[in-house]
Amino acid sequence: MQEDKKMKVKKGWLAVQVGSEDEDGECQRFVIPISFLYHPLFKRLLEKAHEVYGYHTTGPLRLPCSVDDFLHLRWRIEKESNHHPGALSFHSC
């Protein structure tokens, strides 16, 4: 039962898997708002995911960047949406 609750994602949110298996042998799961999918910085990461994994993959959406880079990207998107829209460039991941 506990695992079922962990796997469920609320409406309006999306589970993603971040990290390369090179790092520590594991990827980390995050839940992000669907609105991230429309953000220009996140769209660049999705394009890279397409280059690396293609469109037809099994399982959750995998993002090809380190957990640290993803956390930084998430922080930048949240900061921009709360304070300074339109002034960021994406360089990592």
Side-chain angles (χ1 to χ4, degrees):
M1 286 283 264
Q2 185 77 5
E3 288 182 25
D4 290 344
K5 285 187 177 182
K6 185 179 177 183
M7 297 304 285
K8 290 184 181 180
V9 178
K10 288 191 243 178
K11 185 176 182 178
W13 293 78
L14 173 71
V16 296
Q17 211 170 18
V18 179
S20 65
E21 294 178 7
D22 304 348
E23 287 179 10
D24 293 325
E26 289 187 26
C27 294
Q28 193 169 342
R29 182 178 185 261
F30 291 91
V31 179
I32 59 170
I34 289 178
S35 61
F36 274 31
L37 298 175
Y38 303 103
H39 193 282
L41 298 176
F42 201 81
K43 282 184 180 183
R44 291 186 191 164
L45 183 55
L46 290 175
E47 289 169 5
K48 183 153 186 182
H50 166 66
E51 292 172 14
V52 173
Y53 305 118
Y55 284 124
H56 304 287
T57 61
T58 58
L61 175 61
R62 291 190 63 197
L63 301 176
C65 64
S66 72
V67 171
D68 287 341
D69 285 344
F70 176 78
L71 291 173
H72 182 74
L73 172 66
R74 185 178 71 176
W75 174 80
R76 290 181 69 178
I77 291 172
E78 289 170 350
K79 181 180 176 186
E80 177 183 324
S81 65
N82 291 330
H83 301 291
H84 307 288
L88 298 176
S89 63
F90 179 70
H91 66 278
S92 199
C93 292

